[in-house]
Amino acid sequence: VPDYISKAPVIQLSVNHLPLNHVFAFGTQSCVNDAMLNPVLSGSEGNYSYDSYNPTTEDSGLLWVNGMTNPLVPLKQGTWYRLRVVMASPLFASWINLDEAIGRFGCQFRLLAKDSIYILDPLRNISRLLLAPGGRSDLMLKCDEVGTMQLKSGRPAGRPAGYRSEVWDGVMWQFDVAAAASPLPRAPLP
């Protein structure tokens, strides 16, 4: 196994879903505020599909990534990371388009494994990530440009309905790519 894989820092993202009718029935914890329960098209406060909002069904709710809505994941520019994602939501699938991250931020996403089955062929670059309920994916990730990007899920244009699970429509999480620290210049000793 190459060093850039075996020695890469690991980022684990567990994606889950909290139906709104559970929130209404059981109340909320102090970490959940009323703004999170209002349907919005995107944002850090309650990012769920506005179009599918229906409080009488379980088709709406909050998408949690590591217990947060729309978390900000810090990265260092030019560093390889191992990204391990599990779609723990039984209700939604996610179809994440990586084109903006690749085009604007110079990111590379290389597929290592799907559902813990490692790919024996050479790693290949991917531009989309499909995670079905219960699905797991291991990727290698590196971004060359500094900035903050949102990774969004949604049904691709021209793709008909027909999945057994509805595709989540909204922001999943954000990556904040910071400049890698440059080494301090060494002053000559007196």
Side-chain angles (χ1 to χ4, degrees), residues 8-185:
V10 176
I11 298 171
Q12 296 187 29
L13 299 175
S14 175
V15 181
N16 213 328
H17 170 256
L18 177 65
L20 280 184
N21 63 354
H22 290 188
V23 174
F24 296 135
F26 304 118
T28 61
Q29 301 292 328
S30 60
C31 63
V32 178
N33 62 40
D34 291 339
M36 292 177 75
L37 304 178
N38 295 324
V40 295
L41 294 177
S42 67
S44 61
E45 294 293 333
N47 181 3
Y48 59 93
S49 175
Y50 184 83
D51 295 333
S52 67
Y53 175 69
N54 182 347
T56 61
T57 70
E58 293 198 23
D59 290 348
S60 299
L62 302 172
L63 193 72
W64 300 96
V65 178
N66 293 354
M68 298 174 278
T69 58
N70 194 9
L72 189 64
V73 179
L75 303 176
K76 287 184 188 169
Q77 177 186 28
T79 300
W80 281 104
Y81 291 88
R82 182 173 182 166
L83 183 63
R84 305 188 83 189
V85 184
V86 60
M87 188 64 178
S89 169
L91 190 60
F92 288 103
S94 65
W95 190 285
I96 303 171
N97 185 342
L98 305 171
D99 288 337
E100 180 183 6
I102 293 167
R104 282 187 54 204
F105 296 94
C107 296
Q108 297 177 51
F109 294 88
R110 295 185 179 168
L111 187 62
L112 282 174
K114 290 289 281 183
D115 294 329
S116 296
I117 299 172
Y118 285 87
I119 298 173
L120 300 177
D121 299 331
L123 299 180
R124 64 179 182 264
N125 290 323
I126 60 170
S127 61
R128 287 170 188 74
L129 177 62
L130 174 63
L131 288 168
R136 297 175 309 278
S137 187
D138 282 47
L139 311 168
M140 293 303 296
L141 160 67
K142 179 178 84 162
C143 295
D144 294 327
E145 301 296 326
V146 173
T148 301
M149 72 189 96
Q150 295 182 328
L151 279 100
K152 299 176 183 176
S153 173
R155 187 178 311 282
R159 262 321 237 223
Y163 294 104
R164 293 184 180 254
S165 299
E166 185 58 41
V167 174
W168 180 263
D169 182 26
V171 176
M172 302 286 287
W173 61 82
Q174 300 179 78
F175 285 130
D176 183 25
V177 182
S182 58
L184 296 175

